[in-house]
Amino acid sequence: MFITFEGLDGSGKTTQLKHLAAALEADGHRVVTLRQPGGTPLGDRIRAVLLDSRSEAEVGTIAPEAEMALMFADRAQSLHQVILPALAQGALVLCDRYTDSSEAYQGAGRGLGSEHILGLHRIVCNNVQPDLTILLLPPLESSLHRARRRNQRHVQQAGTDENRFEREGESFYRRVYEQYRAIAQRDQNRVVVFADEAPIATIARSILEVVRERLAANAANARAPELQKPAGL
Ligand code: TMP
């Protein structure tokens, strides 16, 4: 099963992904976690260029189309190097962001449009879709507040920042937020939304419940053809 986590910067998705990974491992599953951009050696380089706000001093202004293409280059690499091999070996793959992020940030935030993103996804990612997407969508203001605090800590501790996106104003994030809502509305079977600001442990329990139900349903579906076989076959 391929599960993605989505949401605005500071929505708490990375924390929730870690909680879920630990709980599923405790249930006896083999779990592979990764993030996008990143998660492979090539992806880590792409991440550094795309997210560090100082990179434009070296490479010049990054065009929205270049940003979109680099996000997909990263994604193709992580599909081939990590995600598809792990799925083939029966692992559960938990990925921090995937193509919904490109649709929300590049498609809506940068205004490139969903069609471009979904078209690239078909070409570059062979249209590989997650089985389940956990979308954390607390109110916009609280996500932004948390993201800014986290970035300040990162600069103090590591000396680098990851805030090229955080320079964007509130209208950019409002578009991202609204696009996430539209994706959830469109893909209701795939996307499960958590919009309250409940404590971390409460949300973690709800996410685990959703995932366990899906895993049980998948297992039942996998057994169903066996049960339907006529006697003697
Ligand atoms: P994060 O690792 O803290 O979630 O940050 C990744 C940043 O990259 C975040 O600001 C969203 C952005 N991003 C895109 O704009 N498009 C994408 O396709 C992906 C995967 C991330």
Side-chain angles (χ1 to χ4, degrees), residues 9 13 35-37 47 51 71 75 96-98 101-102 105-106 150 165 173:
D9 315 62
K13 65 186 167 41
R35 65 178 179 179
Q36 291 187 355
R47 183 179 181 95
L51 300 198
M71 292 293 182
R75 191 160 297 129
D96 191 343
R97 296 192 180 281
Y98 192 63
S101 283
S102 297
Y105 284 77
Q106 283 67 52
R150 184 187 57 187
F165 283 92
Y173 280 103

Side-chain angles (χ1 to χ4, degrees), residues 32-48 70-85 95:
V32 170
T33 62
L34 77 159
R35 65 178 179 179
Q36 291 187 355
T40 64
L42 175 63
D44 287 338
R45 290 202 192 179
I46 293 175
R47 183 179 181 95
L70 285 169
M71 292 293 182
F72 273 99
D74 163 72
R75 191 160 297 129
Q77 187 69 10
S78 77
L79 270 169
H80 288 289
Q81 212 163 17
V82 180
I83 298 172
L84 295 176
C95 190

Side-chain angles (χ1 to χ4, degrees), residues 2 7 49 60 100 103 106 119 122 130 139 154 159 173 179:
F2 177 27
V49 172
D100 293 331
E103 194 179 346
Q106 283 67 52
R122 279 191 288 275
H154 201 275
Y173 280 103
Q179 188 61 40

Side-chain angles (χ1 to χ4, degrees), residues 163-177:
N163 75 354
R164 206 172 62 82
F165 283 92
E166 279 163 30
R167 284 193 314 227
E168 298 299 333
E170 195 154 331
S171 58
F172 175 90
Y173 280 103
R174 174 71 52 196
R175 290 195 295 279
V176 173
Y177 184 85

